Each structure stands twice: as structure tokens, then as C-alpha cells.
């Protein structure tokens, strides 16, 4: 019987020394523990891989879904690949590290609550999480620029070879839907995506303009359609547990030091994945 625990974390942002120090102390509680890493490990190509390699040395299995920061091409990064090429380079290097990616066969968790297929996803966003009254992407973007709330993706996340990030998103949604359709219908899933699969978690953002960079309406029914026992995400830097259609959605981000230092309790580095019927 599998006696380990399925843990999840995201938004490590190891470019910050304080975050890297916390990560250096991260250890499993059992040799059989698995770790989901739901994106935004860091911005520099080699940093991302070094962190994932270190985690793989500690955990029995590491499952990674990319965030937007891994897909940035910072000018100071010696690796200047862009867009899909950068993503596929990360996938290739992760495979060399024995880290699972959205392009690999979904691992089957056989521990408490299993069997369940753990599905890391990469579907991006398409500006459809717009504020009320913003009828088009152009309107929403203009409002964001007018108010000074603009995601750095607009400068650093290149969609090459696609014409736009929303085109890349649509291609990823189609590709991912086909993969999820092929999962054994008898198996429940744990859906792991950097961005929330439903819009509701963005309702608490201090700056609602930012929601347009947080997901796509095209995944709104996936937690029901694909029998999700749980959904794991990050990106918003608002760690919490909410429920939609009876499915727990768990935001597992560490976030920036200025965020976690402002909270009354120290950051929880190892968060057990919570899903219906399985105690945390």
C-alpha cells in the first residue's frame, strides 16, 4: 500500500533569496511522497531546471506544470528561446531529470484516495476573464494600460510561432482536451494548472484588471467533464481552498516575500492536496 502523501506547491519565485532559502529547507515527510509544482518556479531557464532537479532528488515523483514566468524570455537570461520553443526545451530537459510534464503520460496516484490520474496541464489564457463592461480584449487591455495594471507577460511572454497568446491558448486547449478525453473514464483526475480553470477565484483580486491574464473560459467545465477529485492551481498568490460543483480548488502558491511576510503565519511549504472524501 502506498503510504506517501501527495503534496503541491507553486509560485516559488526563486529569484528572491528569501524564497530560495525556504525552498532549500523543503523536505518530504516520507520517501514515498510526491510533489506537484504548479508553475512559476522562476524566470531564468537554468534556475527552473536546477530547482526541479533538486526537488526530484528529494521526492519520489515530481510533476510540473508551467507558469507564465517560466515562459518569459528575460534579456539577462543566457537562454533566449521564446514561446513554444522555450516550453518544449523545458519539457525536454525535465524528461532528462525524470520530472513529469504536461506532455508525458499522466501518473496514477495509488495512495490515499487513489487510484487517480494526476494531470499537469498547460493551457495559458485568452483574455476572456475580462472585467464587466469590457466587451473585447482591446477594451480590457486599454483599461489595464490606462490604470497601470499590466502583466509583464505583455513584454516578456512571446507566443512564437503563434500570432498571439490567445491563439497559443486555443491550440493548447485543443491539445489538452484530446489528452484528457483519452484518460480511462473509470479514473478520477487531479487537474493541475498554473492558472485557475474557472473564473471565480479571480473575483477576489484587488486589481480586477489583472484577471484577463489568469485563465480561459474554455476550461470552465473541465473539473466536471473530467471527473476531477481536485483542482490545483497557483498564479494569484492567494493560497486558499474553495469549492465549485463539489470539487475542491486549491491555490498552493508561496508568492513573493513581501506577500508571505505580511501574513500572520509563516508560509506553508508542503500543502497536502485536498480532495473530496480524503482527509488532509
Amino acid at each position: 500500500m502506498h503510504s506517501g502523501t501527495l503534496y503541491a506547491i507553486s509560485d516559488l519565485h526563486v529569484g528572491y533569496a528569501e524564497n530560495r532559502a525556504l525552498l532549500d529547507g523543503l523536505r518530504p515527510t516520507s520517501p514515498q511522497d510526491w510533489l506537484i509544482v504548479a508553475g512559476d518556479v522562476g524566470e531564468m531557464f537554468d534556475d527552473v531546471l536546477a530547482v526541479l532537479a533538486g526537488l526530484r532528488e528529494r521526492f519520489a515523483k515530481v510533476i510540473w506544470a508551467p507558469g507564465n514566468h517560466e515562459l518569459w524570455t528575460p534579456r539577462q537570461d543566457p537562454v533566449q528561446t521564446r514561446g513554444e520553443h522555450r516550453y518544449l526545451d523545458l519539457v525536454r530537459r525535465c524528461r532528462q531529470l525524470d520530472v513529469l510534464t504536461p506532455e508525458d503520460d499522466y501518473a496514477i496516484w495509488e495512495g490515499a484516495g487513489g487510484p487517480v490520474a494526476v494531470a499537469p496541464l498547460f493551457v495559458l489564457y485568452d483574455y476572456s476573464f475580462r472585467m464587466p463592461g469590457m466587451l473585447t480584449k482591446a477594451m480590457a487591455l486599454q483599461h489595464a494600460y490606462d490604470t497601470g495594471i499590466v502583466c509583464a507577460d505583455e513584454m516578456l511572454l512571446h507566443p512564437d510561432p503563434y500570432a498571439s497568446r490567445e491563439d497559443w491558448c486555443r491550440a493548447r486547449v485543443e491539445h489538452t482536451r484530446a489528452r484528457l478525453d483519452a484518460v480511462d473514464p473509470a479514473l478520477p483526475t487531479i487537474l493541475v494548472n498554473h492558472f485557475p480553470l474557472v473564473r471565480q477565484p479571480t473575483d477576489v483580486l484587488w486589481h480586477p484588471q489583472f484577471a484577463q491574464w489568469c485563465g480561459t473560459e474554455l476550461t470552465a467545465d473541465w473539473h466536471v467533464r473530467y471527473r476531477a477529485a481536485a483542482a490545483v492551481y497557483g498564479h494569484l498568490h492567494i493560497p486558499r481552498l474553495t469549492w465549485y460543483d463539489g470539487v475542491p480548488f486549491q491555490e498552493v502558491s508561496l508568492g513573493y516575500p513581501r506577500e508571505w511576510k505580511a501574513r500572520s503565519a509563516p508560509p506553508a511549504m508542503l500543502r497536502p492536496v485536498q480532495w473530496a472524501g480524503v482527509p488532509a
Side-chain angles (χ1 to χ4, degrees):
M1 176 67 180
H2 196 295
S3 60
T5 301
L6 178 61
Y7 290 108
I9 196 168
S10 74
D11 298 82
L12 293 167
H13 295 292
V14 296
Y16 292 89
E18 300 97 324
N19 284 21
R20 190 177 286 272
L22 288 176
L23 180 64
D24 288 345
L26 182 65
R27 293 292 184 276
T29 59
S30 158
Q32 294 180 297
D33 289 348
W34 289 17
L35 182 64
I36 291 167
V37 182
D40 278 10
V41 172
E43 294 77 36
M44 305 295 280
F45 190 91
D46 288 343
D47 281 354
V48 173
L49 294 169
V51 168
L52 292 174
L55 292 172
R56 180 61 187 89
E57 290 175 357
R58 302 175 214 170
F59 288 84
K61 196 175 293 292
V62 173
I63 300 167
W64 168 76
N68 52 315
H69 283 230
E70 282 104 336
L71 303 174
W72 286 2
T73 307
R75 284 182 296 177
Q76 67 271 30
D77 193 338
V79 179
Q80 284 291 297
T81 51
R82 294 161 54 122
E84 187 175 57
H85 186 186
R86 191 175 187 88
Y87 168 63
L88 293 176
D89 274 353
L90 285 166
V91 167
R92 177 178 57 83
R93 294 288 298 276
C94 280
R95 286 172 169 168
Q96 294 171 357
L97 300 173
D98 191 30
V99 170
L100 294 178
T101 78
E103 307 312 309
D104 297 310
D105 292 341
Y106 299 146
I108 308 300
W109 170 256
E110 300 280 1
V116 58
V118 183
L121 313 178
F122 168 43
V123 292
L124 265 173
Y125 54 82
D126 60 2
Y127 303 86
S128 56
F129 288 2
R130 294 191 290 269
M131 293 173 59
M134 300 294 161
L135 302 181
T136 65
K137 172 192 173 184
M139 289 177 64
L141 272 180
Q142 187 61 56
H143 179 69
Y145 276 97
D146 289 346
T147 54
I149 307 298
V150 180
C151 183
D153 290 6
E154 294 298 313
M155 286 67 74
L156 295 171
L157 201 168
H158 306 285
D160 314 22
Y162 297 93
S164 64
R165 280 172 285 275
E166 57 266 41
D167 285 348
W168 192 6
C169 173
R170 283 190 285 268
R172 289 301 313 178
V173 165
E174 182 176 345
H175 170 77
T176 307
R177 186 186 291 125
R179 297 207 61 213
L180 290 170
D181 284 341
V183 174
D184 182 347
L187 275 178
T189 63
I190 294 175
L191 300 179
V192 179
N193 193 49
H194 180 65
F195 309 96
L197 295 173
V198 297
R199 182 189 182 121
Q200 292 94 317
T202 69
D203 290 343
V204 299
L205 289 173
W206 284 2
H207 300 290
Q209 305 94 314
F210 191 76
Q212 61 191 304
W213 291 284
C214 294
T216 170
E217 297 283 2
L218 296 173
T219 61
D221 69 341
W222 283 17
H223 59 294
V224 175
R225 178 174 180 173
Y226 296 116
R227 311 168 303 284
V232 174
Y233 69 98
H235 189 57
L236 304 185
H237 294 195
I238 308 172
R240 60 180 181 147
L241 180 69
T242 54
W243 295 72
Y244 308 105
D245 302 302
V247 177
F249 278 64
Q250 190 173 4
E251 214 268 31
V252 295
S253 62
L254 171 59
Y256 300 129
R258 68 176 183 272
E259 295 167 328
W260 57 259
K261 285 182 176 180
R263 297 174 185 139
S264 58
M269 292 295 288
L270 276 182
R271 295 187 178 91
V273 173
Q274 301 181 40
W275 64 90
V278 179

